[in-house]
Amino acid sequence: MRTFVALELPDTMRAEIVDLARCLAGRVTGRFVPGENYHLTLAFLGEIGEAESRDAIAAMDEVAAGRGPVRLHPTGLGTFGKPSDCTLWLGVEPVPELVVLAEELRAALADRGIAFDGKPFRPHITLARRVRLPKGELAPLAFPEPAHATRMTLFKSTLTPEGAIYKPLYRAELGGAEN
Ligand code: ATP
Ligand code: MG
């Protein structure tokens, strides 16, 4: 199965991003991600089996233990790819608690021999794919308020012609020391 580990977004932030995406959808063409699919990827594992998923869960638990919620501070829009056909995302400030979480997760996966995409961590929430950007600036937009992520989740991703379907396989709470 195709898998990745990501932070889930708090409901308020998710709703605010839905509003932002609605504004954007009036200005650019593209395949917009449904609000329930918003997430911040920490590590993309790709194809793994049952045994590896158990090890990935152990790695998540190890890293989540004693860790508090992670601050998500939106910084602005960005793109991957060429302006005529790009992925449009909302960038998130790489604060130490977020960067360290991603690094510790990746190290814990590596310790268990689980491979993942090793590209540098660039925290972002994908809003739309196959986007064609208009020339010039996008008009001013209301950005979501900072919020805290409290869940690190292992997702199964099923690719379909209509877009990916994500299914949570395991959730590790970032609840702090009391967990
Ligand atoms: P689609 O590929 O059909 O557009 P998707 O990108 O939402 O759908 P996946 O490709 O399964 O679905 O990706 C799941 C998550 O992992 C997304 O956040 C995606 O950006 C990220 N991701 C996918 N491939 C990689 C990769 N090679 N390295 C890092 N992150 C990746
Ligand atoms: Mg993809």
Side-chain angles (χ1 to χ4, degrees), residues 7 12 23 37 43 48 56 71 83 99 124 139 147 156 158 160-161 163 177:
L7 293 178
T12 308
C23 291
N37 276 8
I48 64 171
R71 184 175 150 87
V99 173
H124 67 275
K156 175 180 169 184
T158 306
T160 80

Side-chain angles (χ1 to χ4, degrees), residues 2 44 129 157 159 164 166:
R2 182 181 176 94
F44 180 77
R129 295 189 170 80
S157 171
L159 302 183
Y166 306 142

Side-chain angles (χ1 to χ4, degrees), residues 29-145:
T29 61
R31 200 180 81 201
F32 278 80
V33 174
E36 70 260 24
N37 276 8
Y38 294 152
H39 64 272
L40 191 156
T41 301
L42 297 171
F44 180 77
L45 279 49
E47 281 299 320
I48 64 171
E50 287 297 326
E52 285 169 304
S53 75
R54 277 192 293 276
D55 287 344
I57 286 167
M60 291 165 66
D61 279 340
E62 176 187 299
V63 170
R67 275 198 164 274
V70 174
R71 184 175 150 87
L72 302 178
H73 185 154
T75 50
L77 297 174
T79 57
F80 293 138
K82 49 185 196 255
S84 61
D85 184 2
C86 62
T87 296
L88 178 63
W89 42 262
L90 179 65
V92 172
E93 195 174 327
V95 294
E97 66 204 277
L98 175 56
V99 173
V100 167
L101 180 67
E103 281 172 355
E104 287 188 356
L105 173 68
R106 290 170 179 216
L109 291 167
D111 282 348
R112 290 169 172 80
I114 300 173
F116 52 87
D117 190 294
K119 280 199 291 290
F121 178 52
R122 292 195 52 194
H124 67 275
I125 298 157
T126 295
L127 306 180
R129 295 189 170 80
R130 311 307 309 262
V131 169
R132 172 181 283 272
L133 287 179
K135 289 204 172 63
E137 295 284 302
L138 291 170
L141 294 155
F143 282 94
E145 292 297 319

